[in-house]
Amino acid sequence: MSAIASVIGHGNPVSAEPRGEPGAELKAELSAWLDLHAEALDTDSSRAADVLPQLAKAGLARVGVPDALGGSGGTIGDAILAIAAVARHSLTAAFVLWGHRTFIEYLVQSDNETLRDRWLPALLAGHVAGATGLSNAMKYLSQIEPLQMRASPSGAGWSLAGTLPWITNLRLQGFVVAAAFEHECGAPPSIFAIEHDAADVARSADLDLVAMRASNTAALSVNGTVLDDASRIASDARAFLVRVRPAFLGLQCGMSVGLAERALAEVAVASAGSRAVLAAEAADVEAQLAGQTKQLLDGVLDGTFREQPAALFELRIALAKTVEAAVALEVQASGGRGYLRGTGATGGTARRVREAAFIPVVTPSLVQLKAQLAAYYDGTAAR
Ligand SMILES: Cc1cc2nc3c(=O)[nH]c(=O)nc-3n(C[C@H](O)[C@H](O)[C@H](O)COP(=O)(O)OP(=O)(O)OC[C@H]3O[C@@H](n4cnc5c(N)ncnc54)[C@H](O)[C@@H]3O)c2cc1C
């Protein structure tokens, strides 16, 4: 039984019928598309425009969003499972869904109803891409670096300036991105939603990535863009980030869950000889993954991770180790075939090695989390 299925099968707190697993027909169509293009999504940007529409067509942007807001209901746990389900096929697509769904979560949790009403329908339908440029803000929250964006008063609003070097899902066809700004007047930093065609907004060319090249990852500059309160997601960035961090990180952990699960599934279909040798190790990793997945879903739903962020930091680190172990087992199980392009047990072993390399890098990175945990335990950390 898979890690996710075993959680669901043993009293998953999310729902008996997880909405993260879309209906069979949609699931089959999306799975087939992802399997067909997973290598290309990783190695070139030719299908970058198609990823979000495919995910949205399968209803994944709506998972865990209240019905009253146009979603398909369920919880953030269901949205995590949806990202895991996509990551089983393609981490590039799962990361696009992470950025998109995380931006949607900002709007769901924002007090700014006008902003929510303005953007949510187009985001849920996948007509506009949601992006989260909050790595810098998350590092700021952990006292690692200052905010790189500045806001100065301008008429009834603020003039915004600065550059964010890495943002995913900056879809060329249209996006809206969250970024945090330091206020020159001394007010607390706040978070704005910046749309792609606002004046003085510039998206760079796609970054020349070694992998995940269809993720629409680019730098974004604003240079005198004027926005007012109607475009503010949160007027107090620090309080808002603490509030959304469990969802931000929890959705990210969905990528680890799905990737590890797929690698273990590949071990399970390897040749009988290698399977027999690796069976005990694979069973250990699978049990770890099932336990961590349950802890993840329980923690995001029962408020544990808001009260004890360190527990979520530890879980994100533990899941990264599980991914590493699962992919290492897949490499061993696949043998030489895994080293040939387009082959491997059922294909994709080398790609999953590259995908696994991304897991420790994404903000908050493992280095950052380890530093943050050390500070928690010696009592010097900010929340
Ligand atoms: C493909 C891709 C897509 C990305 N998409 C997004 C996105 O959509 N949105 C977004 O906001 N960001 C995104 N990022 C940015 C990503 O999250 C960064 O890699 C991350 O912010 C680390 O920044 P850096 O590489 O500049 O780290 P550096 O500043 O060079 O630091 C190296 C490592 O050490 C850690 N570190 C540095 N100083 C400290 C310290 N004092 N204490 C503890 N740890 C420290 C950093 O977190 C990092 O892990 C993306 C990156 C990649 C590769």
Side-chain angles (χ1 to χ4, degrees):
M1 185 185 292
S2 73
I4 290 174
S6 68
V7 168
I8 291 162
H10 291 99
N12 170 28
V14 174
S15 59
E17 297 237 327
R19 310 224 188 169
E21 294 280 281
E25 199 186 330
L26 287 176
K27 188 179 162 193
E29 193 186 334
L30 179 63
S31 303
W33 189 85
L34 291 171
D35 286 339
L36 187 61
H37 299 301
E39 293 298 320
L41 296 181
D42 190 57
T43 55
D44 73 70
S45 58
S46 58
R47 288 180 182 80
D50 301 333
V51 181
L52 181 63
Q54 288 290 338
L55 297 169
K57 192 165 71 167
L60 297 184
R62 299 181 194 272
V63 176
V65 176
D67 302 89
L69 296 180
S72 55
T75 68
I76 194 73
D78 295 306
I80 291 170
L81 292 180
I83 290 176
V86 175
R88 289 202 283 272
H89 302 273
S90 158
L91 198 75
T92 303
F95 193 53
V96 165
L97 182 57
W98 172 79
H100 190 70
R101 183 60 185 80
T102 302
F103 184 87
I104 287 172
E105 191 63 22
Y106 298 154
L107 293 189
V108 169
Q109 296 203 28
S110 171
D111 296 328
N112 188 340
E113 277 180 40
T114 311
L115 186 67
R116 186 165 44 240
D117 291 348
R118 179 167 164 215
W119 285 112
L120 213 46
L123 287 159
L124 293 173
H127 296 152
V128 171
T132 164
L134 292 184
S135 276
N136 171 228
M138 286 286 171
K139 285 162 129 180
Y140 160 82
L141 190 64
S142 300
Q143 298 172 327
I144 290 176
E145 64 185 24
L147 288 177
Q148 291 157 5
M149 313 292 269
R150 297 270 171 278
S152 51
S154 174
W158 296 271
S159 172
L160 308 177
T163 299
L164 290 169
W166 298 93
I167 307 180
T168 294
N169 211 22
L170 294 186
R171 202 164 169 266
L172 289 167
Q173 293 71 14
F175 60 81
V176 54
V177 55
F181 289 79
E182 189 94 71
H183 284 272
E184 285 181 355
C185 63
S190 61
I191 301 175
F192 285 86
I194 303 166
E195 62 191 282
H196 68 111
D197 57 358
D200 304 308
V201 172
R203 178 209 195 271
S204 74
D206 282 356
L207 300 179
D208 192 11
L209 303 176
V210 296
M212 299 178 56
R213 290 176 69 89
S215 59
N216 272 311
T217 299
L220 187 85
S221 298
V222 288
N223 187 13
T225 305
V226 175
L227 295 180
D228 62 19
D229 221 21
S231 295
R232 275 215 291 194
I233 295 174
S235 55
D236 181 343
R238 181 177 287 278
F240 186 76
L241 289 172
V242 167
R243 191 158 93 213
V244 298
R245 189 169 46 190
F248 179 99
L249 260 161
L251 291 165
Q252 227 173 50
C253 286
M255 296 195 295
S256 298
V257 170
L259 180 53
E261 203 186 41
R262 176 59 180 265
L264 290 171
E266 295 297 337
V267 176
V269 296
S271 69
S274 55
R275 232 174 33 231
V277 174
L278 298 173
E281 282 177 84
D284 281 351
V285 178
E286 184 151 346
Q288 254 172 35
L289 180 58
Q292 289 162 351
T293 306
K294 176 165 179 11
Q295 200 188 336
L296 174 64
L297 297 173
D298 287 350
V300 291
L301 293 177
D302 68 14
T304 302
F305 295 148
R306 192 179 296 182
E307 296 308 312
Q308 302 164 32
L312 183 51
F313 295 177
E314 279 171 349
L315 183 58
R316 155 116 163 85
I317 293 171
L319 272 166
K321 285 187 187 147
T322 300
V323 169
E324 204 178 288
V327 171
L329 284 173
E330 182 186 346
V331 168
Q332 293 175 57
S334 304
R337 279 178 307 158
Y339 217 78
L340 295 170
R341 280 174 187 266
T343 59
T346 58
T349 301
R351 171 171 50 80
R352 274 184 289 284
V353 172
R354 291 193 298 277
E355 291 178 342
F358 182 62
I359 297 292
V361 173
V362 61
T363 296
S365 70
L366 258 57
V367 177
Q368 179 180 338
L369 290 171
K370 287 173 185 173
Q372 186 76 9
L373 281 173
Y376 268 113
Y377 294 133
D378 70 18
T380 57
R383 270 175 70 81

